[in-house]
Amino acid sequence: MKDFILLVLGVGLLHTASAVTHSMKYFYTGSSEVSNFPEFVVVGMVDGVQMVHYDSNSQRAVPKQDWMTRHTDTQYWERNTGIFMNSQQIFKVDINTLKQRFNQSGGVHTLMEMYGCEWDEDTGVTEVFKQFGYDGEDFVAFDLKTKTWIAPTPQAVITKHKWDNDMSYNEYWKNYLTQTCIEWLKKYLDYGKSTLKRTVPSSVSLLQKTPSSPVTCHATGFYPSGVMVSWQKEGQNHHEDVEHGETLHNDDGTFQKSTHLTVTPEEWKNNKYQCVVQVAGIKEDFIKVLTESEIQTNWGKTNRGANDPNTIGSIAMEPVIGVAVALLVIVVIVVVGVVIWRKMKSEKGFVPTSTSDTDSENSWKGFQKT
């Protein structure tokens, strides 16, 4: 579940920090028998920032950023509300169809569609994706090169054959993903440029619980999310006994990431170890040399209060609490019950005032055999 959530947040990026990669993604999630959750949810994101939301409880598409409000009108949101309501009904039918294929009766079940595109601002390289998952497992995915569908499970073969035989449908998706999606991604970046194209430097700390614990290099407060947090020994990249954490959201819209180094005090006192943080779009590296004075720790400070800023508890837990809240919100928004749907990069996008790239929903075919 943790890996899936990080993907939803758009923070599982493996691009180098020197490249500024932008993305537009949409997540459609249908569910059955999930208590206290909408049976259908749409979340749209640009660069990991949610810009639109729809759910079956409110049955309204709404902007989640001021810049979306400024660049769209009432007709735009009414149009997309209608599209999402139509998708809601189709997803409901499709979940019932898939239950039959998997020989299931009741219980919690989820269907998710994710599609969209990425664009490297420096190189112009693009990447696209359109995939479906059912109950936390890959179900069917679009192969752009062949304009056919990949079915990783026998229950998806019916859908694969149905969609493979519709060449106009597949040609439409190729054009949408490679052209329309990229065009609108660039438009949204322009709409929200004051937020989406900003750069914020990182704050870097070295943390350690006890003298025998790994030393953590904690980078936080940076934007965009593209970052490399690495350790060097005597000026050379050091990979031995290094564990990299995930890039996580802070509740103020920035990001954080930690990398852990397992090394004895004798070793780092006799050799020069340093943590190097590189943030996408920022030329300057942020460096912390591992010395005793730089390490923030708890040991020998048992009499300090829980709110003492010099304790590792207040240093480490404060951002983590914010992340936990953010993750909980995302879980609620996206839907419970999806179990680590890996490799899915996803989603789709919107368009400005008079039209919408959600027009693609009009060509949605569903999983029914006919």
Side-chain angles (χ1 to χ4, degrees):
M1 176 63 80
K2 176 185 175 184
D3 290 350
F4 172 76
I5 294 170
L6 293 174
L7 281 171
V8 171
L9 287 167
V11 298
L13 303 178
L14 300 178
H15 306 288
T16 61
S18 60
V20 179
T21 301
H22 300 285
S23 65
M24 181 169 71
K25 305 177 181 181
Y26 267 75
F27 299 76
Y28 281 34
T29 304
S31 63
S32 66
E33 298 188 34
V34 180
S35 301
N36 302 317
F37 287 92
E39 68 175 15
F40 183 70
V41 178
V42 178
V43 174
M45 292 183 169
V46 172
D47 283 3
V49 175
Q50 187 182 3
M51 64 173 182
V52 65
H53 176 86
Y54 170 92
D55 65 60
S56 53
N57 289 346
S58 67
Q59 298 198 24
R60 295 297 304 173
V62 295
K64 301 300 288 186
Q65 301 295 325
D66 290 341
W67 46 267
M68 280 296 287
T69 304
R70 291 195 302 269
H71 291 280
T72 54
D73 59 15
T74 302
Q75 182 181 5
Y76 171 80
W77 292 104
E78 288 179 350
R79 174 180 175 79
N80 284 287
T81 292
I83 291 171
F84 294 149
M85 291 179 70
N86 181 59
S87 299
Q88 175 183 329
Q89 298 305 313
I90 295 173
F91 263 60
K92 187 172 184 177
V93 172
D94 282 340
I95 288 178
N96 289 329
T97 299
L98 295 181
K99 281 182 179 179
Q100 295 174 21
R101 288 196 199 171
F102 283 89
N103 195 26
Q104 299 166 335
S105 54
V108 172
H109 298 285
T110 59
L111 169 64
M112 173 171 278
E113 175 189 9
M114 306 200 300
Y115 67 95
C117 53
E118 292 181 354
W119 168 61
D120 189 309
E121 186 175 1
D122 297 332
T123 65
V125 173
T126 61
E127 185 173 352
V128 303
F129 25 83
K130 178 176 173 64
Q131 298 170 276
F132 294 81
Y134 180 66
D135 282 355
E137 301 291 339
D138 292 344
F139 183 73
V140 66
F142 185 55
D143 185 332
L144 181 67
K145 292 182 180 178
T146 62
K147 289 186 288 187
T148 59
W149 296 83
I150 301 169
T153 179
Q155 290 84 354
V157 172
I158 295 175
T159 299
K160 168 183 166 53
H161 290 326
K162 174 185 174 182
W163 291 354
D164 281 353
N165 291 329
D166 193 335
M167 296 307 297
S168 61
Y169 178 68
N170 298 326
E171 187 65 34
Y172 168 84
W173 274 109
K174 177 183 178 180
N175 292 336
Y176 168 80
L177 293 170
T178 58
Q179 298 179 37
T180 306
C181 184
I182 300 297
E183 291 171 2
W184 285 113
L185 168 57
K186 293 178 180 179
K187 287 180 183 289
Y188 292 135
L189 289 172
D190 184 57
Y191 293 167
K193 59 187 174 183
S194 61
T195 299
L196 300 175
K197 302 190 99 175
R198 76 188 192 279
T199 57
V200 181
S202 177
S203 169
V204 183
S205 303
L206 300 182
L207 313 175
Q208 191 177 33
K209 292 181 180 179
T210 71
S212 59
S213 300
V215 179
T216 296
C217 180
H218 181 70
T220 187
F222 56 86
Y223 192 94
S225 63
V227 68
M228 289 184 66
V229 181
S230 58
W231 283 96
Q232 292 183 353
K233 177 182 179 181
E234 300 295 345
Q236 300 297 316
N237 289 333
H238 182 75
H239 305 290
E240 185 178 352
D241 296 320
V242 172
E243 179 184 354
H244 298 278
E246 301 284 357
T247 304
L248 304 176
H249 271 265
N250 289 323
D251 53 12
D252 63 355
T254 61
F255 298 88
Q256 63 170 294
K257 183 181 178 71
S258 294
T259 297
H260 315 286
L261 170 68
T262 300
V263 61
T264 65
E266 293 77 15
E267 173 69 13
W268 62 257
K269 287 177 182 178
N270 294 326
N271 295 276
K272 181 182 179 181
Y273 283 86
Q274 62 185 20
C275 176
V276 180
V277 178
Q278 300 168 289
V279 178
I282 298 179
K283 295 181 179 180
E284 179 185 1
D285 294 343
F286 305 91
I287 300 174
K288 279 281 185 181
V289 179
L290 179 53
T291 62
E292 192 167 0
S293 62
E294 285 288 357
I295 296 177
Q296 301 180 54
T297 182
N298 263 350
W299 76 76
K301 302 175 182 178
T302 55
N303 293 326
R304 294 186 183 274
N307 294 322
D308 192 304
N310 294 315
T311 66
I312 193 170
S314 63
I315 294 168
M317 287 305 295
E318 202 167 309
V320 171
I321 290 172
V323 171
V325 172
L327 290 179
L328 179 60
V329 171
I330 291 296
V331 173
V332 172
I333 289 175
V334 177
V335 85
V336 202
V338 182
V339 183
I340 307 179
W341 185 10
R342 296 179 183 273
K343 302 178 183 177
M344 303 193 68
K345 288 192 172 181
S346 68
E347 280 218 69
K348 103 181 170 192
F350 270 174
V351 197
T353 44
S354 59
T355 59
S356 168
D357 60 10
T358 51
D359 285 341
S360 59
E361 289 305 303
N362 296 327
S363 61
W364 166 252
K365 293 185 172 296
F367 294 135
Q368 297 92 330
K369 191 171 183 179
T370 58

